[in-house]
Amino acid sequence: MASKSSLPEEDFTCPVCFDIFKDPVLLLCSHSFCKDCLQKFWREKKSKECPVCRRQSSLDNPPLNLSLKNVCESFLKEKSQRASGGSEVLCSLHGERLKLFCLEDKQPICLVFQASRKHSGHQFLPIDEAALDYKKQLKAVLKPLQKKLNQFKGVQKTCDRTASHIKVQAHQSEKQIKEEFEKLHQFLKDEEEARIRALKEEEEQKSLIMKEKIEELSKDMSTLSDTITAIKKQMVAEDIIFLQQKPQGVSGSLIDVAKHLGNLRFRVWEKMKDIVQFTPVVLDPNTADSLLIISEDLTSFKRTLTRQTLPDNPERLDDYRCVVGSEGFNSGSHYWDVEVGDSTAWCVGVTTESNQRKRGTITWERLLCVGYGGCYRGPVHVLEQNLHTLRVHLDLDKGQLSFSDPLQNTHIHTFKHTFTEKVLPFFCSPRPPLSILPLKPSVTIEQRRLC
């Protein structure tokens, strides 16, 4: 039996279009045609006759010649494989190599299509030249897209690190919160035990007093009973004086409840001021340079020799060994003391909240600071001698920022400035440590006068 490839190409050609059959249909006269070719022929002739034998067809929609369709597809596939060794793409209609590119229709075509009326007047390029032009265009479009993709990958990587760091922060913060509340719980437990112990001691003391008083009263009652018996017997007048004696109660014999319960919560809270601290400014670890280690209570920092792996978030000051306060100020008067004595280079003051915080873009002109032991730009008042403690006094309502030495009670410098936005405490030290000192808490009771 002859193979499909051994049959002549004419056997797979439509008698109307002379191309390889495409969706062939079969008439009752046994002739086959492309479906579109037959319908077009019938429309032009206005008669449903066979284009070959002119026999009239009784079918409006002749059935698909499935066997012929499969044979044609196999023929085109074999022809394509023979022509290209299986590596080239051939025209699905003619089985020829696609050597040209139609610039009007934007599609590759074979040489047979070039001569057809469908592409009459069209411009063509060799397929390799057209591909090169399109590759250049795609490359030009691809370059900014690739750059944008790399940016997204960088942001995604930062977000992944940030997500991991959030979990670390949450875990550490939870641990510190539990430790702080454990200290408070222990204090309250100790205070509770001390107060209950004092109550028990007073109970034992006053119970003993009452016991002794009861015993004394029992003796007096026994004596009085004996006297009454003797009076009844002897009716001696002078013994009546004894009857005029009255038993005395014991003053202060009850528990001093007011001492133990009066203003109990306030007294405990007042006593707690000895174990708690208040720092007017705390540091924001999310802004700290990765070479700085912030203390657990967020009031001091020291330097590490190697950079920590921290998220590259927009707020972070990734140079100059800097960090800012966690809260800013819009109005009012505020002050905080900074211990700088062990640092040989430092800069302390305030900065605006909108000041850029990325490498090389910190605007030093938007800082108001006092510094020592370094080279600083912008409005930084540099000291000639170091000191132990620096007091920063920010008065936004008066528009001034003052620095002084609280230990020597001496004024250092004052900036006059019109503050138009929120400002943040600023700390910089190439050679730390630096510490913000706590204030001594106090309890004040205000009494109102009655009219």
Side-chain angles (χ1 to χ4, degrees):
M1 180 177 179
S3 65
K4 303 182 191 73
S5 59
S6 63
L7 297 176
E9 186 171 338
E10 289 78 10
D11 292 343
F12 308 104
T13 303
C14 173
V16 177
C17 66
F18 301 105
D19 284 330
I20 304 299
F21 282 111
K22 186 175 183 181
D23 296 329
V25 293
L26 179 64
L27 296 179
L28 295 177
C29 61
S30 74
H31 292 121
S32 294
F33 308 92
C34 296
K35 181 179 180 180
D36 291 341
C37 293
L38 180 62
Q39 295 295 333
K40 182 179 179 181
F41 180 82
W42 283 357
R43 285 194 301 271
E44 291 176 352
K45 291 292 185 179
K46 297 181 181 180
S47 174
K48 297 179 182 178
E49 61 181 30
C50 174
V52 176
C53 66
R54 304 300 178 178
R55 180 179 176 180
Q56 289 291 328
S57 174
S58 61
L59 301 175
D60 293 335
N61 295 303
L64 179 67
N65 192 340
L66 185 59
S67 298
L68 180 58
K69 181 176 183 296
N70 293 335
V71 171
C72 290
E73 290 178 352
S74 299
F75 173 78
L76 289 175
K77 185 176 180 181
E78 290 183 6
K79 183 177 180 181
S80 174
Q81 291 176 347
R82 288 196 305 272
S84 62
S87 61
E88 292 186 354
V89 179
L90 302 181
C91 176
S92 60
L93 189 59
H94 305 107
E96 300 290 336
R97 291 178 58 189
L98 301 175
K99 294 184 177 182
L100 299 176
F101 184 80
C102 179
L103 298 179
E104 279 73 14
D105 293 336
K106 307 297 182 184
Q107 65 179 12
I109 63 173
C110 66
L111 294 177
V112 177
F113 259 131
Q114 183 186 16
S116 67
R117 286 193 296 269
K118 181 179 179 181
H119 294 276
S120 177
H122 291 185
Q123 292 184 341
F124 306 94
L125 280 178
I127 197 74
D128 54 346
E129 292 184 15
L132 183 61
D133 290 343
Y134 272 92
K135 287 180 180 179
K136 289 180 179 179
Q137 295 178 16
L138 289 175
K139 188 176 182 181
V141 175
L142 183 62
K143 187 174 181 180
L145 293 178
Q146 186 64 48
K147 183 178 180 181
K148 181 67 70 175
L149 177 61
N150 292 337
Q151 291 175 348
F152 275 105
K153 287 182 178 179
V155 173
Q156 183 185 33
K157 189 175 181 180
T158 299
C159 290
D160 290 339
R161 289 199 301 264
T162 301
S164 299
H165 190 67
I166 288 173
K167 293 184 179 296
V168 174
Q169 281 185 310
H171 176 73
Q172 293 178 343
S173 298
E174 179 181 353
K175 179 182 177 182
Q176 288 179 234
I177 290 172
K178 288 182 178 180
E179 290 176 353
E180 291 299 321
F181 272 92
E182 183 61 32
K183 293 177 183 178
L184 294 175
H185 293 160
Q186 189 61 45
F187 169 82
L188 293 175
K189 183 178 180 181
D190 295 342
E191 187 67 18
E192 176 189 4
E193 292 176 353
R195 290 183 175 272
I196 292 177
R197 187 165 53 251
L199 176 62
K200 292 295 184 181
E201 290 176 356
E202 184 176 355
E203 178 191 9
E204 292 177 1
Q205 180 184 6
K206 293 193 172 180
S207 295
L208 180 61
I209 293 174
M210 292 307 301
K211 181 180 179 181
E212 293 175 350
K213 184 63 178 178
I214 291 172
E215 291 176 354
E216 181 181 345
L217 287 174
S218 296
K219 292 179 181 179
D220 290 343
M221 289 173 63
S222 178
T223 301
L224 181 59
S225 179
D226 293 342
T227 303
I228 291 173
T229 301
I231 289 174
K232 286 182 178 181
K233 289 181 179 180
Q234 301 179 8
M235 297 297 290
V236 180
E238 58 269 24
D239 290 338
I240 295 177
I241 299 174
F242 181 79
L243 296 177
Q244 295 176 347
Q245 296 178 357
K246 295 181 179 180
Q248 299 294 322
V250 180
S251 177
S253 58
L254 298 179
I255 295 292
D256 190 351
V257 176
K259 180 182 71 174
H260 295 288
L261 298 182
N263 295 315
L264 176 60
R265 297 182 184 179
F266 174 80
R267 298 303 177 191
V268 174
W269 174 65
E270 183 182 31
K271 195 172 181 180
M272 285 181 67
K273 71 180 186 294
D274 296 329
I275 68 166
V276 298
Q277 289 184 340
F278 172 74
T279 308
V281 170
V282 294
L283 305 174
D284 183 0
N286 294 335
T287 68
D289 180 13
S290 58
L291 281 173
L292 297 181
I293 298 179
I294 308 299
S295 63
E296 290 187 351
D297 61 1
L298 308 179
T299 63
S300 64
F301 62 86
K302 59 183 180 179
R303 180 180 176 182
T304 178
L305 297 178
T306 57
R307 286 196 175 275
Q308 306 169 82
T309 303
L310 299 175
D312 188 23
N313 50 303
E315 302 84 2
R316 191 169 304 284
L317 295 164
D318 57 358
D319 204 355
Y320 307 114
R321 320 296 187 265
C322 300
V323 62
V324 299
S326 64
E327 296 183 7
F329 305 107
N330 284 316
S331 61
S333 179
H334 314 271
Y335 82 90
W336 55 95
D337 293 342
V338 184
E339 186 177 273
V340 297
D342 293 333
S343 175
T344 56
W346 53 267
C347 182
V348 173
V350 299
T351 182
T352 56
E353 185 180 41
S354 61
N355 194 358
Q356 294 295 320
R357 302 181 184 177
K358 298 309 294 176
R359 184 184 303 277
T361 60
I362 295 177
T363 306
W364 284 85
E365 286 70 20
R366 298 175 70 179
L367 298 173
L368 299 177
C369 298
V370 164
Y372 171 77
C375 297
Y376 305 104
R377 305 188 303 273
V380 178
H381 180 77
V382 181
L383 300 179
E384 295 182 358
Q385 292 184 342
N386 202 359
L387 45 78
H388 183 273
T389 304
L390 176 70
R391 173 163 294 175
V392 184
H393 183 195
L394 173 65
D395 194 329
L396 291 162
D397 299 332
K398 293 182 179 180
Q400 64 183 26
L401 177 67
S402 300
F403 299 88
S404 60
D405 184 343
L407 301 182
Q408 302 297 327
N409 196 24
T410 56
H411 175 262
I412 295 175
H413 186 73
T414 297
F415 289 101
K416 294 287 187 178
H417 185 77
T418 301
F419 298 97
T420 59
E421 61 175 299
K422 181 183 289 187
V423 294
L424 299 169
F426 177 82
F427 307 88
C428 176
S429 180
R431 293 183 287 276
L434 250 66
S435 301
I436 305 169
L437 299 179
L439 299 179
K440 182 68 176 177
S442 61
V443 179
T444 302
I445 302 173
E446 180 181 353
Q447 290 185 330
R448 295 182 179 179
R449 292 186 177 182
L450 298 178
C451 297

